Amino acid sequence: MKNVLFIFYHFPPTGGSGVQRGLKFAKYLPEFGFRPVILCADYRFLKQPKDFTLLSELPRDIPIYRTFTLDINWFYKLLWGLKLNKVVTFLQRNVLIPDGEILWLPFALPKLKKIMATNKITQVMVSVPPFSLIFLARYLKKHYQVKVCMDFRDPWSFGIGRKYLHPPKWITALENKWEKEIVTQSDSIISVSSSMVEDFKRLYPFVAKNKFVCITNGYDEKDFPVSFPPIKNAKFTIIYTGSFYDARQPDILWKALKELIEHGKIKPDKITVEIYGKNTSSFVLGNYVNDAAINKIVHLFGYVDHTNSIKLLGKADTLLLFSNSGETQRAIVTAKVFEYMRSGKPILAIIDPSGAAAEILKPGKTGFIADSSSLNSVKETILNIYHLWEENKLQTEPNWNYIQQFERKTLTAKLAEVFSSLEQ
């Protein structure tokens, strides 16, 4: 069995949806002739939820190298508590470039050298963000005879993260240069959506097109021991699992619900919105944080482990998916999309109808898509689902043949094909 080095900043027992990709690849890759060797930040020093149940999914013989890190998020939390938000923004825009996880590199590099000295490594997969990890990829290309595969879970130069921060022009130019270098130097570029692949091809037309590969996120069939039959709760129950962050703030949803309630279209005692994850009410509710009507129907719960987050899907009348519209959002497909589809539950998808998430959802036939830039579209879609629920007709007919292509083991087989092609 051939060794492949995985470099993921977050890896179980660090929790959150972002770790699922690395976990599932590591879980299933040995079945295709490759043994992952993991380099990651030590979870004990990370300001991130922990989910120790995830470790039981890994084969016991997979080596995991964890290293100390200075997690800047602890310092950010202190500054936010002192109402020094502008200091955080200054550090993010001007100092910690391309991101705060660059503080991990002095600790990761010695461990990386040890791994390369003690394991026969010929291929490396580096998953970003955080984008600081490109420097480890560049180091490996310079000092070792290895094939490097970059895994872009989110876009960088054309992504929302950079647009949201509005960094100085010289930093934007520098990051664009770094991206161009790593795309050119790497042996394969994997992206999680076809639209992201097309964006890369457009930006770098001089790079061989077969270097770019789409391997989406997905769902693990073993996480779904039972099917979720249609239900009708006493209240129309909308459930969201995960975090809201950056520009993903759903004021348009709260405005739509408030107007529907005020106009008598929806009864306030017949609807509830449950949000599970690492969130703060001030950000999630935004301009409606002190609104009595919204606070009556919206309930925030803390982080739940992955097993229980799957169970929560079965409690919902409809599952909420949200992202803003616009150029920087178009390529984004949050990982929850695939588990939502696999649940078979109706999905209230308030997203860009021309974006990658909509492109994936539509053939699955479980989504009710509303344009996240149009208040009327959001209101009409919510009201449509609500009326179906009232009439006990809120059901879906999932296209299982389509949905099954996103099973994690199937996706890992595609990754193994990439590794095999790089050996030729």
Side-chain angles (χ1 to χ4, degrees):
M1 191 172 291
K2 298 173 182 178
N3 290 335
V4 177
L5 175 60
F6 275 16
I7 302 180
F8 281 79
Y9 184 76
H10 292 112
F11 196 80
T14 301
S17 61
V19 306
Q20 290 296 315
R21 186 172 178 84
L23 169 67
K24 302 301 184 178
F25 281 154
K27 175 181 178 178
Y28 289 115
L29 203 55
E31 297 185 30
F32 301 97
F34 294 93
R35 175 176 176 259
V37 177
I38 314 295
L39 172 62
C40 60
D42 193 322
Y43 63 92
R44 293 173 296 178
F45 305 105
L46 296 176
K47 187 183 176 298
Q48 187 81 0
K50 309 300 186 296
D51 185 351
F52 289 91
T53 66
L54 299 176
L55 288 175
S56 63
E57 297 189 36
L58 290 171
R60 292 184 178 181
D61 63 342
I62 290 181
I64 303 177
Y65 295 84
R66 307 183 189 275
T67 70
F68 174 79
T69 188
L70 293 169
D71 188 349
I72 193 65
N73 290 299
W74 294 109
F75 187 49
Y76 288 165
K77 181 181 180 181
L78 174 63
L79 293 176
W80 285 323
L82 296 172
K83 308 298 183 183
L84 297 173
N85 296 34
K86 290 183 178 179
V87 176
V88 174
T89 301
F90 177 82
L91 291 172
Q92 292 175 327
R93 286 177 179 170
N94 302 277
V95 180
L96 297 170
I97 306 299
D99 43 52
E101 286 78 9
I102 198 167
L103 299 175
W104 181 51
L105 301 193
F107 308 100
L109 190 55
K111 189 71 73 172
L112 178 60
K113 293 178 180 178
K114 178 182 177 181
I115 292 171
M116 298 305 293
T118 56
N119 296 269
K120 188 178 180 181
I121 303 289
T122 59
Q123 296 195 48
V124 181
M125 178 176 176
V126 182
S127 190
V128 295
F131 297 106
S132 295
L133 273 58
I134 65 161
F135 298 114
L136 297 179
R138 289 173 58 180
Y139 176 84
L140 287 165
K141 288 297 291 184
K142 182 177 180 179
H143 295 282
Y144 299 92
Q145 297 296 315
V146 294
K147 301 288 187 180
V148 171
C149 173
M150 290 300 304
D151 177 45
F152 282 85
R153 304 190 316 279
D154 289 321
W156 187 6
S157 66
F158 52 93
I160 187 174
R162 313 329 288 161
K163 302 293 189 294
Y164 176 73
L165 279 176
H166 303 292
K169 290 183 179 180
W170 71 270
I171 288 179
T172 298
L174 184 59
E175 291 188 338
N176 290 346
K177 175 177 175 288
W178 287 339
E179 181 180 273
K180 180 179 178 180
E181 289 175 349
I182 199 62
V183 168
T184 304
Q185 295 170 8
S186 297
D187 299 283
S188 182
I189 305 293
I190 294 175
S191 301
V192 297
S193 71
S194 57
S195 61
M196 202 187 305
V197 167
E198 294 307 312
D199 284 333
F200 272 122
K201 289 179 179 179
R202 176 180 52 81
L203 281 173
Y204 307 107
F206 50 85
V207 176
K209 287 183 169 52
N210 63 1
K211 182 186 281 192
F212 300 101
V213 180
C214 175
I215 302 180
T216 67
N217 282 309
Y219 68 92
D220 189 342
E221 187 61 35
K222 292 185 179 179
D223 292 337
F224 290 83
V226 295
S227 60
F228 298 132
I231 63 171
K232 186 176 187 292
N233 290 299
K235 290 185 178 183
F236 178 54
T237 303
I238 303 171
I239 288 181
Y240 179 90
T241 58
S243 301
F244 290 94
Y245 54 89
D246 288 343
R248 197 174 296 153
Q249 197 285 330
D251 262 10
I252 193 169
L253 170 61
W254 312 136
K255 183 175 178 62
L257 287 173
K258 184 175 175 65
E259 290 189 6
L260 288 170
I261 290 171
E262 287 178 343
H263 295 152
K265 303 291 186 180
I266 291 179
K267 298 176 182 178
D269 60 345
K270 285 295 184 179
I271 184 171
T272 182
V273 182
E274 299 180 4
I275 298 173
Y276 295 83
K278 187 180 177 183
N279 291 290
T280 60
S281 59
S282 59
F283 182 82
V284 173
L285 298 181
N287 293 324
Y288 295 85
V289 67
N290 295 316
D291 187 280
I294 294 301
N295 275 278
K296 183 178 179 181
I297 65 172
V298 180
H299 308 280
L300 271 66
F301 301 87
Y303 173 80
V304 294
D305 63 36
H306 189 247
T307 299
N308 284 309
S309 73
I310 296 294
K311 291 179 181 178
L312 284 170
L313 306 184
K315 287 180 52 182
D317 290 299
T318 187
L319 299 167
L320 172 63
L321 183 69
F322 181 87
S323 68
N324 288 313
S325 296
E327 194 64 34
T328 57
Q329 290 283 308
R330 195 154 291 137
I332 300 294
V333 184
T334 56
K336 66 172 61 66
V337 169
F338 305 96
E339 292 180 338
Y340 276 16
M341 282 200 299
R342 169 57 185 84
S343 75
K345 289 283 184 173
I347 301 170
L348 168 59
I350 305 174
I351 57 178
D352 187 330
S354 65
E359 179 185 339
I360 285 176
L361 268 179
K362 288 174 184 176
K365 298 183 178 180
T366 63
F368 294 77
I369 296 176
D371 185 345
S372 57
S373 67
S374 168
L375 178 62
N376 284 336
S377 176
V378 175
K379 289 167 64 175
E380 289 171 4
T381 305
I382 293 173
L383 196 56
N384 176 35
I385 299 176
Y386 180 75
H387 284 158
L388 289 172
W389 170 81
E390 278 188 314
E391 298 165 7
N392 203 24
K393 295 179 180 179
L394 183 54
Q395 299 179 11
T396 62
E397 295 182 2
N399 181 353
W400 294 117
N401 288 334
Y402 167 79
I403 293 171
Q404 286 166 2
Q405 70 180 296
F406 301 111
E407 209 283 323
R408 291 285 190 181
K409 188 172 180 178
T410 300
L411 298 170
T412 305
K414 292 181 67 174
L415 179 62
E417 290 176 5
V418 173
F419 291 149
S420 296
S421 69
L422 295 180
E423 291 184 339
Q424 298 172 5

